[in-house]
């Protein structure tokens, strides 16, 4: 990694945190690192993090963390410039990694929304879709979650600092639930839980509180194109419908949430949209 | 091990149980038993008999677990929850080693668990059969696992013989229950008014002598025997092991694997609740300063993508590969590897599968000539 140009101990990699369309929750997860935030500040030179500090230094940087999805023409241009400023680009959270909850617009009519919400919609520059960063530039590593898990973030940064390829588990939430000694909410309470097809990483927070997983860490295993097969959403959806008596639109809504536009969840929700329309 | 007609079987009033808990506590044991939590029973510390799920019973079927309060005074009416004895000996997550970087070198700090005396109150025959298999895996010959051993050595096992079978139980066909036969210290049989108590080890015998318990009448012993036998006869599921292991090896290309793969979520729940599944992964958990790293063992599952990954290739990329690997190991190659079946008939994998896949249904389907299996593709 290149040497930082100013500030801090020499040799500390320079990190920047950028925001696109998002709620800032993932950035807050960084600020919520508590004691680890001090260690992070010592290990890295946090050069650009407007959410945290008005001391904003120019790039290039060694690591760029990107929160948020691309929803405006200006964002679509800005992400190209972010990519040029850092050799390592890591997306943080469901918005940047998968388009986020705002990707629900991909099924809607954005022009109609603008007319309903704004008195002068002609001033609103907005794309008709919300898309993940990876649809615009090459992404080196993706962190899932709404918000991200701070341990996963620390883990990835620790690995990068050590020169190790970061690797996070992609298996189901169920395995973490069982390790933690949670009772399965689906089997014991009949609650339609997305845990069996959702990627681990959150620490099984929701089932630990007796509620269902709603898939905020995205599909388990093969979420995007590339290695890994998509999870068996069809079988789980069928169980929601036949076993737990959800009607098709309820099954659709289970899959069309925070990560609704990621292919395995998107295709499952579309299959149930067709069933819903067929009546 | 005591037999039902043994003169060493004692009959004690129900109040005996509190006395037993108190004696165990006085001897330094933490008593762990089934306790109601989040719609199931889970192992928890028991101080009073009232901490146990008195009057409750469980109904289990594929993909479904429900508790109901019957209003009875039966203490061990719940057969079991998702946990076998496994997590009490094989911890779901534990550091094996802590490595600290020092100047120019490093030191490895041991992380053996603190030995704790734990009395398990209410282990079922299937749980003990599962524990015996895990003992064989973790404590065999020269390759003894000191972490497992430390926990295992601290266990005092109080079995409860089953007098009611769940719809998912098939221990009778696996010869593992409903009477506890694998290593236990004490075994209880709960009758309407009394417990029958028998010892299965020197430690259990010592406990019985210390409590000076009255011998059971022949009639009581017979009553218990009849209830246990009735429990075995009432089991609606069974697994025919006679053609195994070879028949399952021969079924390697059977179309039923595609059928079950279409239902299987590869979520790993079956392997997590299985009393015998022992797969684990070891992770390095370094801290940000790169001076300290925890070498941590976690429960893992052969249903994950990572588990099938070896140097550049995934050897089990599809769910079909993984289910076939799991079932073939559990029911067939386990026999070649360890001399017993890997299944103890507890039925947990049936109940806790979110989509209710039932291995007692899959095995016969897989052993049918494939043309028939094609005609009857199950419930997919």
């Amino acid at each position: 990694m290149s040497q930082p140009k100013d500030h801090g101990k020499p040799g500390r990699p320079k990190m920047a945190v950028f925001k696109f369309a998002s709620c800032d929750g993932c950035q807050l997860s960084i600020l919520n690192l508590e004691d680890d935030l001090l260690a992070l500040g010592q290990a890295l030179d946090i050069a650009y993090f407007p959410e945290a500090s008005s001391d904003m230094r120019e790039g290039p940087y060694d690591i760029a963390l990107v929160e948020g999805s691309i929803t405006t023409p200006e964002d679509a241009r800005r992400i190209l410039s972010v990519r040029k400023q850092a050799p390592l680009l890591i997306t943080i959270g469901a918005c940047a990694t998968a388009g986020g909850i705002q990707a629900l617009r991909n099924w809607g009519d954005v022009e109609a929304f603008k007319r309903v919400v704004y008195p002068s919609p002609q001033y609103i520059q907005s794309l008709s879709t919300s898309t993940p960063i990876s649809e615009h530039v090459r992404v080196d590593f993706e962190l899932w979650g709404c918000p991200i898990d701070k341990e996963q973030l620390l883990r990835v940064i620790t690995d990068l600092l050590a020169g190790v390829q970061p690797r996070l588990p992609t298996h189901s939430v169920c395995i973490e639930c069982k390790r933690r000694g949670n009772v399965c909410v689906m089997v014991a309470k009949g609650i339609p839980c997305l845990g069996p097809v959702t990627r681990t990483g959150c620490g099984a927070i929701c089932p630990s509180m007796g509620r269902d997983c709603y898939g905020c860490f995205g599909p388990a295993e093969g979420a995007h194109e590339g290695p890994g097969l998509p999870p068996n959403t069809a079988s789980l959806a069928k169980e929601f419908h036949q076993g737990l008596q959800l009607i098709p639109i309820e099954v659709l809504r289970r899959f069309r949430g925070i990560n609704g536009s990621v292919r395995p969840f998107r295709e499952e929700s579309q299959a149930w949209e067709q069933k819903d329309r067929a009546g | 091990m005591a037999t039902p007609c043994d003169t060493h079987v004692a009959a004690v009033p129900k109040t005996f149980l509190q006395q037993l808990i108190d004696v165990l506590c006085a001897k330094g044991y933490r008593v762990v038993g089934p306790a109601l939590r989040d719609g199931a029973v889970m192992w928890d510390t028991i101080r009073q008999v009232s901490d146990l799920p008195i009057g409750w019973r469980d109904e289990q079927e594929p993909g479904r677990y429900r508790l109901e309060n019957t209003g009875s005074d039966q203490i061990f009416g719940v057969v079991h929850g998702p946990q076998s004895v496994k997590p009490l000996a094989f911890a779901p997550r534990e550091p094996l080693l802590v490595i600290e970087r020092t100047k120019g070198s490093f030191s490895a700090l041991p992380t053996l668990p603190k030995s704790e005396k734990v009395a398990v109150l209410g282990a079922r025959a299937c749980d003990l059969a599962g524990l015996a298999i895990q003992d064989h895996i973790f404590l065999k010959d020269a390759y003894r696992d000191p972490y497992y051993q430390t926990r295992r050595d601290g266990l005092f096992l109080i079995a409860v013989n089953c007098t009611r079978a769940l719809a998912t139980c098939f221990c009778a066909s696996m010869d593992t229950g409903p009477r506890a036969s694998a290593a236990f210290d004490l075994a209880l049989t709960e009758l309407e008014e009394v417990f029958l108590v028998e010892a299965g080890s020197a430690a259990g015998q010592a406990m019985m002598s210390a409590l000076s318990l009255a011998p059971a009448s022949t009639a009581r012993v017979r009553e218990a025997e009849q209830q246990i036998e009735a429990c075995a006869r009432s089991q609606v599921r069974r697994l025919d092991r006679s053609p195994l292991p070879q028949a399952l090896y021969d079924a390697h290309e059977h179309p039923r694997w595609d059928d079950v793969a279409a239902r299987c979520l590869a979520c790993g729940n079956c392997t997590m609740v299985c009393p015998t599944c022992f797969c684990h992964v070891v992770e390095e958990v370094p801290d940000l300063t790169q001076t300290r790293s925890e070498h941590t063992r976690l429960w893992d599952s052969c249903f994950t993508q990572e588990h099938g990954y070896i140097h550049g290739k995934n050897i089990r990329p599809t769910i079909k590969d993984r289910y076939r690997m799991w079932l073939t190991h559990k029911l067939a190659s386990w026999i070649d590897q360890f001399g017993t079946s890997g299944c103890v008939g507890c039925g947990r994998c049936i109940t806790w599968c979110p989509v209710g896949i039932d291995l007692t249904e899959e095995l016969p389907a897989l052993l049918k000539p494939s043309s028939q299996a094609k005609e009857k593709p199950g419930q997919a």
Side-chain angles (χ1 to χ4, degrees):
Chain A
M1 286 177 186
S2 62
Q3 298 291 311
K5 290 191 176 65
D6 50 13
H7 290 270
K9 287 192 291 186
R12 283 190 311 162
K14 238 169 123 176
M15 185 177 84
V17 184
F18 296 93
K19 172 193 159 63
F20 288 80
S22 59
C23 77
D24 295 29
C26 293
Q27 295 185 72
L28 288 175
S29 296
I30 302 173
L31 294 173
N32 281 343
L33 285 169
E34 298 180 358
D35 289 353
D36 289 324
L37 185 59
L38 297 175
L40 188 71
Q42 285 171 344
L44 294 166
D45 173 21
I46 303 175
Y48 180 87
F49 189 2
E51 175 99 3
S53 170
S54 53
D55 175 19
M56 296 177 279
R57 279 168 282 135
E58 288 186 358
Y61 312 101
D62 296 300
I63 302 173
L65 301 184
V66 177
E67 179 196 81
S69 68
I70 304 299
T71 58
T72 67
E74 195 264 327
D75 281 351
R77 286 190 294 275
R78 187 160 60 97
I79 190 62
L80 302 177
S81 130
V82 168
R83 178 68 268 191
K84 284 183 189 145
Q85 292 181 67
L88 278 173
L89 189 157
I90 301 171
T91 59
I92 55 169
C95 299
T97 301
I101 190 71
Q102 60 272 28
L104 287 176
R105 73 161 68 173
N106 302 358
W107 283 278
D109 178 352
V110 173
E111 292 307 312
F113 296 158
K114 285 192 325 199
R115 286 195 299 274
V116 169
V117 174
Y118 300 99
S120 304
Q122 69 272 23
Y123 296 118
I124 305 297
Q125 300 292 316
S126 187
L127 297 170
S128 62
T129 55
S130 168
T131 45
I133 301 302
S134 62
E135 287 196 18
H136 300 266
V137 294
R138 181 175 57 82
V139 172
D140 299 294
F141 202 81
E142 293 178 325
L143 283 170
W144 293 82
C146 181
I148 52 164
D149 175 74
K150 62 181 189 179
E151 297 296 329
Q152 285 206 334
L153 176 70
L154 280 177
R155 183 61 204 268
V156 166
I157 290 175
T158 302
D159 286 350
L160 289 172
L161 290 173
V164 173
Q165 171 77 36
R167 201 169 57 89
L168 293 174
T170 63
H171 59 69
S172 73
V173 173
C174 301
I175 289 179
E176 189 56 26
C177 253
K178 290 292 185 288
R179 286 175 186 156
R180 287 186 62 142
N182 290 340
V183 176
C184 177
V185 298
M186 184 155 162
V187 171
K189 293 180 184 164
I191 302 174
C193 181
L194 282 183
V197 296
T198 298
R199 177 176 299 239
T200 191
C202 59
I205 303 172
C206 294
S208 301
M209 295 294 141
R211 59 159 296 168
D212 49 302
C213 166
Y214 53 93
C216 84
F217 267 66
E221 304 202 343
H224 293 321
E225 306 283 343
L229 296 171
N232 193 351
T233 52
S235 175
L236 187 66
K238 191 174 171 189
E239 182 65 23
F240 286 172
H241 179 55
Q242 291 182 353
L244 303 182
Q245 305 288 303
L246 265 62
I247 59 173
I249 195 161
E250 291 172 322
V251 179
L252 178 166
R253 285 174 182 156
R254 285 271 67 193
F255 288 94
R256 196 172 292 174
I258 286 166
N259 285 297
S261 66
V262 188
R263 194 178 56 162
F265 288 179
R266 181 181 72 224
E267 289 180 353
E268 200 55 48
S269 80
Q270 282 166 348
W272 289 85
E273 190 164 38
Q274 283 177 11
K275 289 183 213 278
D276 180 56
R277 284 186 182 149
Chain B
M1 187 189 68
T3 63
C5 296
D6 200 301
T7 50
H8 294 101
V9 180
V12 292
K14 294 280 182 92
T15 50
F16 159 79
L17 202 58
Q18 187 61 53
Q19 194 190 346
L20 178 64
I21 293 169
D22 293 342
V23 168
L24 287 164
C25 288
K27 285 179 175 288
Y29 282 97
R30 181 167 71 92
V31 180
V32 164
L36 295 175
R37 169 152 68 86
D38 299 330
V41 296
M42 303 291 279
W43 297 122
D44 205 345
T45 301
I46 302 294
R47 293 180 186 85
Q48 310 287 334
V49 172
S50 59
D51 294 336
L52 295 164
I54 301 169
W56 290 85
R57 56 189 262 167
D58 49 339
E59 293 299 335
Q60 300 192 29
E61 54 188 273
R64 189 181 158 90
Y65 184 101
R66 291 293 184 278
L67 289 176
E68 60 170 348
N69 195 329
T70 62
S72 84
D73 57 1
Q74 196 183 5
I75 297 169
F76 294 104
V78 179
V79 177
H80 57 48
Q83 295 170 305
S84 63
V85 181
K86 178 165 87 172
L88 301 177
F90 171 30
R93 178 192 304 269
E94 74 179 328
L96 301 180
L97 204 63
V98 169
I99 297 161
E100 281 189 355
R101 199 199 290 264
T102 51
K103 271 191 180 152
S105 181
F106 69 89
S107 56
L109 312 174
T111 55
L112 271 181
K114 215 172 55 187
S115 72
E116 187 192 17
K117 290 165 78 176
V118 174
V120 184
L121 175 58
R124 299 292 175 165
C126 53
D127 295 337
L128 296 174
L131 188 66
I133 290 174
Q134 292 240 313
D135 284 352
H136 188 65
I137 290 157
F138 285 106
L139 303 178
K140 193 172 187 278
D141 308 329
Y143 310 107
R144 300 172 88 81
D145 184 285
Y147 309 89
Y148 182 94
Q149 174 114 53
T150 303
R151 290 196 172 80
R152 180 68 181 88
D153 287 348
L155 295 183
F156 183 87
L157 297 162
I158 304 158
V160 172
N161 291 320
C162 290
T163 51
R164 180 176 72 95
L166 301 163
T168 47
C169 289
F170 56 102
C171 64
S173 66
M174 303 307 288
D175 289 331
T176 52
R179 167 182 289 284
S181 57
F184 58 80
D185 295 297
L186 289 178
L188 308 179
T189 309
E190 186 175 15
L191 301 177
E192 202 159 323
E193 285 164 357
V194 297
F195 281 115
L196 296 197
V197 190
E198 57 194 298
S201 71
Q205 192 59 58
M207 181 68 74
M208 281 185 75
S209 307
L211 291 165
S212 56
L213 308 176
S217 68
T218 315
R220 290 284 197 205
V221 173
R222 193 173 300 133
E223 184 189 350
E225 181 68 1
Q226 282 167 351
Q227 288 196 19
I228 296 166
E229 280 171 10
C231 170
R233 281 195 305 275
S234 72
Q235 293 187 2
V236 294
R237 281 184 163 75
R238 64 186 305 277
L239 201 137
D240 178 14
R241 291 177 291 149
S242 59
L244 298 175
Q246 192 56 44
L248 205 44
Y249 299 149
D250 294 341
H252 195 255
E253 301 301 330
H254 199 287
R256 180 74 180 195
W257 295 116
D258 292 309
D259 179 89
V260 67
R263 285 172 279 138
C264 176
L265 304 171
C267 60
N269 275 302
C270 49
T271 58
M272 296 287 116
V273 297
C274 178
T276 71
C277 277
F278 56 88
C279 281
H280 48 265
V281 62
V282 177
E283 279 186 2
E284 211 55 57
V285 188
D287 73 354
L288 203 52
T289 62
Q290 298 175 44
T291 54
R292 190 176 187 277
S293 184
E294 255 187 31
H295 197 62
T296 302
R297 174 164 69 188
L298 300 157
W299 281 3
D300 197 22
S301 170
C302 53
F303 281 89
T304 74
Q305 174 179 252
E306 297 103 323
H307 197 88
Y309 185 83
I310 51 165
H311 41 260
K313 184 171 168 60
N314 193 320
I315 53 169
R316 286 185 292 276
T318 66
I319 292 179
K320 174 184 168 180
D321 298 328
R322 299 179 206 170
Y323 189 86
R324 182 166 62 189
M325 152 78 193
W326 174 71
L327 195 76
T328 306
H329 185 215
K330 186 68 51 187
L331 299 181
S333 53
W334 202 293
I335 298 170
D336 294 332
Q337 191 179 5
F338 299 114
T340 61
S341 175
C343 176
V344 296
C346 70
R348 285 187 177 89
C349 60
I350 304 172
T351 299
W352 297 98
C353 172
V355 295
I357 295 172
D358 176 355
L359 81 171
T360 68
E361 203 175 278
E362 296 310 316
L363 181 69
L366 284 160
L367 301 189
K368 267 186 205 158
S370 60
S371 57
Q372 286 179 33
K374 267 179 186 162
E375 284 162 22
K376 287 183 77 180
Q379 49 187 241

